[in-house]
Amino acid sequence: MYRYGLFMNNNIVNFAPLLVALALLFSCGENQRAEVSAGHADSIIFQVGMKKDYIRMVQLIDSFAQAGEISTLNADRWRGTAYYRQGQYRSAEFYYKKAVTGNIVNESDNQSYIKASRRLSELLLIKGDYEGSLKVAMPAVKMLDKKGIGSDIDYAILLNNIGCCQLNLGREEEANASFLTARGHYANRWENDSTGRGLQEAVIGTVYTSQAYINTRRFDKSLYWIDRTEMLLDKYRLKSDARREYFDEYQGRIEIMRAVARQGLGQTDEAAKAYKAFLQTDYSVTSNGRIESNEYLLAAHRYAEAADNYRYLDQMLKEHGMVLSLDNIQLYLLPKMRANIGANRRDSVLALAPYLCNKVDSAINFSKEDDAAELATIYDIQQKDAQIAHQQADLDRQRLVGTLTALVLLVIFFVIYTFHRRQHMRHLSDAHEKLKRAYDQLEETTAAKERIESELRIARDIQMSMVPSVFPNRFGLDIYAAMTPAKEVGGDLYGYLMLGDNLYFCVGDVSGKGVPASLFMAQAIRLFRTLAGQGMEPAEIATRMNAALVEDNEQGMFVTMFIGMVNMTTGHLDFCNAGHNPPVLNGEFLKMETNVPFGLWPGLKFVGESIDNIKGQQLFVYTDGLSEAENRQQKQFGDNRLLEILRTHKSSSARQLIDYIKGEVEKHRNGALPNDDLTMLALKVD
């Protein structure tokens, strides 16, 4: 969140907490009243999101969307919200864009469009895509004017975003008009609110505006908004529910912004006076306050004080749960180096150079491994192979270029400093500027890599949506299934189809893991649904699936699968097993013809079998990711342990049984990473 919160200004290291405050304040306040009233489904989704159970939140969104209880636009808006609150801003941006460009079909969609526009314009603004942010925010404001919907806080935030974009694009008069109009809406908000929340929102909004003028070096204009912020903060102090730590922190922010603005105008005495006032606040002795004050200290060439403050950098990073990513190295360690160079602390600079090398190396490795859950992609199902191969090749090249660039540049920097440390400080400053420009290039490379990883993350969502998450609610039938991929995407699958009184179901396991397996899995599950929908017997379905999967299978991939069809009236079970693990029926492994997996040999005819009546008996089908799950000592879960659980554990439903077994597998792993995809299906006909 910190990197996004810098408003494209690498010297302002503490603007992200302001955006965090904005997100929490507005989502917990105005949004709570608006969203909960939007309908029963919206209310349930919102309450789960407030509990921070975002996985369950996304599952509910998908279920409600499939059932038609929320519109497509509203579902995309909620998905964007779920990713936004997890800090997964690229995925949030994708879904907010879908919502903003979606079709408005009812009045509720109007509200969802406004909320999605508000968030999307903010994300694009923080990225520096000012034109894109304006294209989102301005139509939303026009809709607010035309339809009379939305709240003052919707108006204020959208107009503030518009003003910041206009300011960065050099349209200063338009920006001033937007900020003033936003101020009017903030005023309407606090004047009609008996609590201090409205003033609290206004303070944050005017800090946002003040910082925008400082970031664009319009220091004279920033002073007006800084004074305005202080006036609003004084009003907030008078509210009975005002929090002292809140206005102490923002009084500190006001003084340090004033010091930066005065210094930028060359008013050094007034700047020093404002900085002295900052030091009188409790906020000045916090780690965040110390790092924030360095913007003024560096501008005022008070390098020694800035270098002293950077001793609290590790504490600040720890308090905010931040790691030294490539972005944070650029935002924090490079200014720290500059401060120590300016203070002529030669030993500190020499110590910091190899430390910087190590941290960049660690950050490169971290960038490869972090956010593995976001490795998904949006691609057309018919062209996945070509797109993934192309993207992976680009990603490998970018990682290699980024790694080599970072290492070479850091070595160059260290050598230059070692051989020229006796020369004038200006030479060191020039070397630092060269390194900074190189890091800008590295940032572009990293951003391209992140876009690909963001797209790969969404492919997991697409794959998970291909297996059902809602199961038939039919009297006498208890069925539930769950799939947990070992990687970002996997090769396991399950599915079901009700056709009259017959319930078709399947569980399969594709050879291998990852993206290739997921593509083969997608093809297999589509074939099952198509053939089962034609009312074929399981053996006929297996024969036709094999014939289809053999074609053009140059990589020799295959899938094992158990296919069953149970009649809900008689309990009669027809099934065909294609090389899959034997299911467990009433605590015993089912003895049957194994056949061979699909996809290896053409022209095969698969053998089917049947059981007269399975009513009242628990049928459990699974993939080998269950029995072969390993702990840290590489000991497998095993068939015997599975049978013992199924014979002795009493569950009231299929879902409780699967949840219990999943928990037992996690206990067995004891922290070890999963070595294979895990899929389970349980059903019982009474």
Side-chain angles (χ1 to χ4, degrees), residues 561-577:
M561 183 177 288
F562 180 86
I563 304 174
M565 178 186 73
V566 59
N567 185 279
M568 297 298 298
T569 302
T570 65
H572 184 82
L573 173 67
D574 288 295
F575 63 90
C576 179
N577 186 50

Side-chain angles (χ1 to χ4, degrees), residues 410-562:
L410 286 171
V411 169
I412 291 173
F413 172 79
F414 185 69
V415 171
I416 289 173
Y417 182 81
T418 302
F419 285 95
H420 296 277
R421 62 183 181 272
R422 296 183 181 277
Q423 296 184 11
H424 197 272
M425 275 300 179
R426 180 175 58 82
H427 297 145
L428 285 175
S429 179
D430 291 342
H432 165 72
E433 289 300 323
K434 291 178 182 178
L435 183 60
K436 179 179 179 299
R437 287 195 296 272
Y439 264 99
D440 289 339
Q441 296 174 1
L442 180 60
E443 182 179 23
E444 293 177 4
T445 301
T446 305
K449 183 265 298 182
E450 288 178 345
R451 283 195 297 272
I452 295 173
E453 291 183 344
S454 172
E455 292 172 352
L456 283 171
R457 170 66 181 92
I458 299 167
R460 179 187 177 99
D461 297 340
I462 294 175
Q463 184 189 10
M464 295 303 291
S465 69
M466 297 182 71
V467 296
S469 58
V470 178
F471 297 92
N473 184 14
R474 176 163 176 162
F475 181 76
L477 173 63
D478 181 19
I479 181 173
Y480 187 76
M483 180 178 74
T484 307
K487 290 190 173 183
E488 301 79 30
V489 288
D492 277 8
L493 63 105
Y494 70 85
Y496 76 85
L497 178 69
M498 286 296 305
L499 197 64
D501 286 336
N502 290 328
L503 170 67
Y504 287 86
F505 62 94
C506 73
V507 173
D509 185 358
V510 178
S511 60
K513 294 179 282 294
V515 171
S518 72
L519 301 177
F520 212 68
M521 165 268 193
Q523 189 176 3
I525 201 165
R526 285 198 306 273
L527 285 169
F528 166 75
R529 290 173 180 168
T530 301
L531 297 172
Q534 298 176 22
M536 297 180 181
E537 295 289 329
E540 179 66 16
I541 293 174
T543 300
R544 297 202 180 194
M545 284 186 66
N546 179 67
L549 293 174
V550 165
E551 293 182 6
D552 300 322
N553 186 11
E554 297 178 358
Q555 294 182 343
M557 298 189 71
F558 61 88
V559 55
T560 69
M561 183 177 288
F562 180 86

